[in-house]
Amino acid sequence: MNEVIPIARIEREARQAAHQFASLELACPYPFNSDAGHAFASYFHGERLRMQQARAEVSGSASGVA
């Protein structure tokens, strides 16, 4: 029987993993071809993108670029 995993849990795990792992392959605890794996990947990549944008904003303001 398949366990139903709450989407909020998957989102929380993926966002935390994005700060701990450089790649989805190392971070994802779910089978990649499962619904949970797809959701995890989406949240993981979204958080990594948000992190990159935040770094770009910080480095832009640190260099005096507005």
Side-chain angles (χ1 to χ4, degrees):
M1 184 170 183
N2 290 335
E3 175 187 1
V4 175
I5 303 165
I7 194 72
R9 173 181 157 186
I10 295 170
E11 179 180 3
R12 182 180 63 251
E13 291 173 346
R15 292 187 189 282
Q16 290 172 346
H19 293 269
Q20 298 172 337
F21 296 94
S23 73
L24 176 64
E25 291 76 18
L26 294 173
C28 188
Y30 306 104
F32 291 120
N33 63 343
S34 68
D35 290 340
H38 290 279
F40 187 97
S42 178
Y43 288 119
F44 180 88
H45 289 305
E47 183 66 11
R48 296 289 295 181
L49 181 60
R50 190 200 63 73
M51 291 165 53
Q52 290 173 349
Q53 290 171 339
R55 279 194 299 268
E57 289 174 8
V58 169
S59 66
S61 64
S63 66
V65 177

